[in-house]
Amino acid sequence: PICFPVTILVAGGGQKVDELQLQLPSHRYLEVDKERLLPIEVKSVEGTDFDFRKPKKIANTFIDHAFRYSPDFDRQVSLINNDGPAVIMKFDSETKWIQIHTADRTGGTDSRMALAVEPMTCPPDAFNSKEDLIVLAPGQSHRFTCSIEVGE
């Protein structure tokens, strides 16, 4: 799969992501198994802890999932700090999926101190599922862009 290197977003130094709000442009997420985080099926975010279509506090939600971009939203992920600036990642039309991880570390003081955001052209395991898979012939290339901004 073609993907952008993982980008770590921090909105306000020294604050766990639990206190921050996330806004994510997605109606669907890729459910994974609890043991190895292997893909199971694409599900609706409706009624789940993963419904971040409107800004919502992350709280203690563990996230290490891919979310399918929904075209009725702006092409951006926002991490919002009520006491400071927001951090916004914008991406172009080639980005179909966004992997989010709450940077959980067992017992570490650095646990949940940042949010990993990885724009992707296809979901994990796309070689098998073929979903949004881009196949390139020798010599071909493919690119997508994203930017990170500080918001209000």
PDB file of all heavy atoms in Angstrom, residues 52-68:
ATOM      1  N   PHE A  52     -16.386  10.265  15.261  1.00  0.00           N
ATOM      2  CA  PHE A  52     -15.757  11.566  15.457  1.00  0.00           C
ATOM      3  C   PHE A  52     -16.109  12.508  14.307  1.00  0.00           C
ATOM      4  O   PHE A  52     -15.334  13.394  13.967  1.00  0.00           O
ATOM      5  CB  PHE A  52     -14.229  11.403  15.555  1.00  0.00           C
ATOM      6  CG  PHE A  52     -13.788  10.688  16.797  1.00  0.00           C
ATOM      7  CD1 PHE A  52     -13.452   9.346  16.759  1.00  0.00           C
ATOM      8  CD2 PHE A  52     -13.705  11.355  18.012  1.00  0.00           C
ATOM      9  CE1 PHE A  52     -13.030   8.677  17.899  1.00  0.00           C
ATOM     10  CE2 PHE A  52     -13.290  10.707  19.165  1.00  0.00           C
ATOM     11  CZ  PHE A  52     -12.953   9.360  19.114  1.00  0.00           C
ATOM     12  N   ARG A  53     -17.280  12.308  13.703  1.00  0.00           N
ATOM     13  CA  ARG A  53     -17.676  13.183  12.602  1.00  0.00           C
ATOM     14  C   ARG A  53     -17.839  14.615  13.080  1.00  0.00           C
ATOM     15  O   ARG A  53     -17.561  15.552  12.344  1.00  0.00           O
ATOM     16  CB  ARG A  53     -18.962  12.674  11.949  1.00  0.00           C
ATOM     17  CG  ARG A  53     -18.748  11.336  11.235  1.00  0.00           C
ATOM     18  CD  ARG A  53     -20.015  10.748  10.737  1.00  0.00           C
ATOM     19  NE  ARG A  53     -20.822  10.288  11.874  1.00  0.00           N
ATOM     20  CZ  ARG A  53     -22.001   9.713  11.767  1.00  0.00           C
ATOM     21  NH1 ARG A  53     -22.539   9.531  10.581  1.00  0.00           N
ATOM     22  NH2 ARG A  53     -22.658   9.306  12.837  1.00  0.00           N
ATOM     23  N   LYS A  54     -18.296  14.795  14.298  1.00  0.00           N
ATOM     24  CA  LYS A  54     -18.312  16.100  14.955  1.00  0.00           C
ATOM     25  C   LYS A  54     -17.231  16.042  16.014  1.00  0.00           C
ATOM     26  O   LYS A  54     -16.952  14.972  16.559  1.00  0.00           O
ATOM     27  CB  LYS A  54     -19.675  16.350  15.606  1.00  0.00           C
ATOM     28  CG  LYS A  54     -20.794  16.494  14.602  1.00  0.00           C
ATOM     29  CD  LYS A  54     -22.093  16.765  15.297  1.00  0.00           C
ATOM     30  CE  LYS A  54     -23.210  16.868  14.268  1.00  0.00           C
ATOM     31  NZ  LYS A  54     -24.521  16.946  14.876  1.00  0.00           N
ATOM     32  N   PRO A  55     -16.607  17.191  16.339  1.00  0.00           N
ATOM     33  CA  PRO A  55     -15.544  17.154  17.344  1.00  0.00           C
ATOM     34  C   PRO A  55     -16.035  16.495  18.637  1.00  0.00           C
ATOM     35  O   PRO A  55     -17.112  16.805  19.131  1.00  0.00           O
ATOM     36  CB  PRO A  55     -15.223  18.630  17.582  1.00  0.00           C
ATOM     37  CG  PRO A  55     -15.661  19.324  16.337  1.00  0.00           C
ATOM     38  CD  PRO A  55     -16.847  18.538  15.846  1.00  0.00           C
ATOM     39  N   LYS A  56     -15.250  15.532  19.112  1.00  0.00           N
ATOM     40  CA  LYS A  56     -15.606  14.793  20.318  1.00  0.00           C
ATOM     41  C   LYS A  56     -14.338  14.479  21.092  1.00  0.00           C
ATOM     42  O   LYS A  56     -13.309  14.150  20.503  1.00  0.00           O
ATOM     43  CB  LYS A  56     -16.340  13.507  19.934  1.00  0.00           C
ATOM     44  CG  LYS A  56     -16.775  12.666  21.120  1.00  0.00           C
ATOM     45  CD  LYS A  56     -17.561  11.446  20.669  1.00  0.00           C
ATOM     46  CE  LYS A  56     -16.608  10.294  20.416  1.00  0.00           C
ATOM     47  NZ  LYS A  56     -17.282   9.018  20.185  1.00  0.00           N
ATOM     48  N   LYS A  57     -14.434  14.563  22.414  1.00  0.00           N
ATOM     49  CA  LYS A  57     -13.296  14.247  23.275  1.00  0.00           C
ATOM     50  C   LYS A  57     -12.899  12.782  23.069  1.00  0.00           C
ATOM     51  O   LYS A  57     -13.742  11.892  23.047  1.00  0.00           O
ATOM     52  CB  LYS A  57     -13.683  14.485  24.729  1.00  0.00           C
ATOM     53  CG  LYS A  57     -12.534  14.525  25.681  1.00  0.00           C
ATOM     54  CD  LYS A  57     -13.040  14.757  27.097  1.00  0.00           C
ATOM     55  CE  LYS A  57     -12.228  15.837  27.756  1.00  0.00           C
ATOM     56  NZ  LYS A  57     -12.594  16.001  29.161  1.00  0.00           N
ATOM     57  N   ILE A  58     -11.610  12.550  22.944  1.00  0.00           N
ATOM     58  CA  ILE A  58     -11.106  11.191  22.744  1.00  0.00           C
ATOM     59  C   ILE A  58     -11.309  10.364  24.014  1.00  0.00           C
ATOM     60  O   ILE A  58     -11.599   9.170  23.944  1.00  0.00           O
ATOM     61  CB  ILE A  58      -9.618  11.208  22.329  1.00  0.00           C
ATOM     62  CG1 ILE A  58      -9.479  11.883  20.955  1.00  0.00           C
ATOM     63  CG2 ILE A  58      -9.045   9.803  22.311  1.00  0.00           C
ATOM     64  CD1 ILE A  58      -8.057  12.160  20.524  1.00  0.00           C
ATOM     65  N   ALA A  59     -11.170  10.992  25.176  1.00  0.00           N
ATOM     66  CA  ALA A  59     -11.321  10.326  26.479  1.00  0.00           C
ATOM     67  C   ALA A  59     -10.413   9.100  26.540  1.00  0.00           C
ATOM     68  O   ALA A  59      -9.282   9.157  26.099  1.00  0.00           O
ATOM     69  CB  ALA A  59     -12.783  10.013  26.754  1.00  0.00           C
ATOM     70  N   ASN A  60     -10.912   7.988  27.042  1.00  0.00           N
ATOM     71  CA  ASN A  60     -10.050   6.806  27.184  1.00  0.00           C
ATOM     72  C   ASN A  60     -10.202   5.824  26.019  1.00  0.00           C
ATOM     73  O   ASN A  60      -9.793   4.675  26.130  1.00  0.00           O
ATOM     74  CB  ASN A  60     -10.329   6.102  28.514  1.00  0.00           C
ATOM     75  CG  ASN A  60     -11.730   5.534  28.578  1.00  0.00           C
ATOM     76  OD1 ASN A  60     -12.553   5.804  27.717  1.00  0.00           O
ATOM     77  ND2 ASN A  60     -12.008   4.757  29.594  1.00  0.00           N
ATOM     78  N   THR A  61     -10.760   6.267  24.907  1.00  0.00           N
ATOM     79  CA  THR A  61     -10.952   5.405  23.744  1.00  0.00           C
ATOM     80  C   THR A  61      -9.600   4.984  23.155  1.00  0.00           C
ATOM     81  O   THR A  61      -8.778   5.838  22.819  1.00  0.00           O
ATOM     82  CB  THR A  61     -11.784   6.115  22.658  1.00  0.00           C
ATOM     83  OG1 THR A  61     -13.028   6.531  23.220  1.00  0.00           O
ATOM     84  CG2 THR A  61     -12.030   5.206  21.465  1.00  0.00           C
ATOM     85  N   PHE A  62      -9.382   3.680  23.050  1.00  0.00           N
ATOM     86  CA  PHE A  62      -8.204   3.154  22.374  1.00  0.00           C
ATOM     87  C   PHE A  62      -8.501   3.144  20.883  1.00  0.00           C
ATOM     88  O   PHE A  62      -9.499   2.579  20.440  1.00  0.00           O
ATOM     89  CB  PHE A  62      -7.887   1.724  22.844  1.00  0.00           C
ATOM     90  CG  PHE A  62      -6.856   1.033  21.993  1.00  0.00           C
ATOM     91  CD1 PHE A  62      -5.513   1.328  22.155  1.00  0.00           C
ATOM     92  CD2 PHE A  62      -7.224   0.131  21.016  1.00  0.00           C
ATOM     93  CE1 PHE A  62      -4.551   0.709  21.360  1.00  0.00           C
ATOM     94  CE2 PHE A  62      -6.276  -0.496  20.219  1.00  0.00           C
ATOM     95  CZ  PHE A  62      -4.929  -0.199  20.393  1.00  0.00           C
ATOM     96  N   ILE A  63      -7.636   3.786  20.099  1.00  0.00           N
ATOM     97  CA  ILE A  63      -7.819   3.812  18.651  1.00  0.00           C
ATOM     98  C   ILE A  63      -6.530   3.330  17.996  1.00  0.00           C
ATOM     99  O   ILE A  63      -5.459   3.880  18.240  1.00  0.00           O
ATOM    100  CB  ILE A  63      -8.147   5.229  18.130  1.00  0.00           C
ATOM    101  CG1 ILE A  63      -9.299   5.866  18.904  1.00  0.00           C
ATOM    102  CG2 ILE A  63      -8.462   5.177  16.629  1.00  0.00           C
ATOM    103  CD1 ILE A  63      -9.507   7.339  18.584  1.00  0.00           C
ATOM    104  N   ASP A  64      -6.644   2.313  17.192  1.00  0.00           N
ATOM    105  CA  ASP A  64      -5.585   1.873  16.281  1.00  0.00           C
ATOM    106  C   ASP A  64      -6.305   1.265  15.090  1.00  0.00           C
ATOM    107  O   ASP A  64      -6.272   0.056  14.863  1.00  0.00           O
ATOM    108  CB  ASP A  64      -4.631   0.881  16.938  1.00  0.00           C
ATOM    109  CG  ASP A  64      -3.338   0.717  16.137  1.00  0.00           C
ATOM    110  OD1 ASP A  64      -3.215   1.369  15.067  1.00  0.00           O
ATOM    111  OD2 ASP A  64      -2.458  -0.041  16.571  1.00  0.00           O
ATOM    112  N   HIS A  65      -7.007   2.137  14.360  1.00  0.00           N
ATOM    113  CA  HIS A  65      -7.929   1.713  13.301  1.00  0.00           C
ATOM    114  C   HIS A  65      -7.782   2.607  12.073  1.00  0.00           C
ATOM    115  O   HIS A  65      -7.402   3.773  12.183  1.00  0.00           O
ATOM    116  CB  HIS A  65      -9.377   1.806  13.804  1.00  0.00           C
ATOM    117  CG  HIS A  65      -9.685   0.880  14.920  1.00  0.00           C
ATOM    118  ND1 HIS A  65      -9.293   1.127  16.221  1.00  0.00           N
ATOM    119  CD2 HIS A  65     -10.337  -0.298  14.945  1.00  0.00           C
ATOM    120  CE1 HIS A  65      -9.696   0.137  16.992  1.00  0.00           C
ATOM    121  NE2 HIS A  65     -10.333  -0.746  16.247  1.00  0.00           N
ATOM    122  N   ALA A  66      -8.169   2.058  10.945  1.00  0.00           N
ATOM    123  CA  ALA A  66      -8.246   2.812   9.696  1.00  0.00           C
ATOM    124  C   ALA A  66      -9.689   3.272   9.511  1.00  0.00           C
ATOM    125  O   ALA A  66     -10.637   2.531   9.792  1.00  0.00           O
ATOM    126  CB  ALA A  66      -7.813   1.941   8.523  1.00  0.00           C
ATOM    127  N   PHE A  67      -9.837   4.500   9.031  1.00  0.00           N
ATOM    128  CA  PHE A  67     -11.146   5.100   8.790  1.00  0.00           C
ATOM    129  C   PHE A  67     -11.238   5.452   7.314  1.00  0.00           C
ATOM    130  O   PHE A  67     -10.310   5.998   6.726  1.00  0.00           O
ATOM    131  CB  PHE A  67     -11.311   6.365   9.633  1.00  0.00           C
ATOM    132  CG  PHE A  67     -11.375   6.091  11.110  1.00  0.00           C
ATOM    133  CD1 PHE A  67     -10.218   5.895  11.840  1.00  0.00           C
ATOM    134  CD2 PHE A  67     -12.593   6.023  11.767  1.00  0.00           C
ATOM    135  CE1 PHE A  67     -10.257   5.634  13.205  1.00  0.00           C
ATOM    136  CE2 PHE A  67     -12.645   5.764  13.126  1.00  0.00           C
ATOM    137  CZ  PHE A  67     -11.484   5.566  13.849  1.00  0.00           C
ATOM    138  N   ARG A  68     -12.383   5.134   6.694  1.00  0.00           N
ATOM    139  CA  ARG A  68     -12.617   5.418   5.269  1.00  0.00           C
ATOM    140  C   ARG A  68     -13.115   6.843   5.137  1.00  0.00           C
ATOM    141  O   ARG A  68     -14.100   7.226   5.773  1.00  0.00           O
ATOM    142  CB  ARG A  68     -13.644   4.427   4.702  1.00  0.00           C
ATOM    143  CG  ARG A  68     -14.008   4.674   3.231  1.00  0.00           C
ATOM    144  CD  ARG A  68     -12.814   4.373   2.337  1.00  0.00           C
ATOM    145  NE  ARG A  68     -13.139   4.134   0.960  1.00  0.00           N
ATOM    146  CZ  ARG A  68     -13.135   5.077   0.011  1.00  0.00           C
ATOM    147  NH1 ARG A  68     -12.896   6.322   0.316  1.00  0.00           N
ATOM    148  NH2 ARG A  68     -13.414   4.745  -1.241  1.00  0.00           N
TER     149      ARG A  68
END
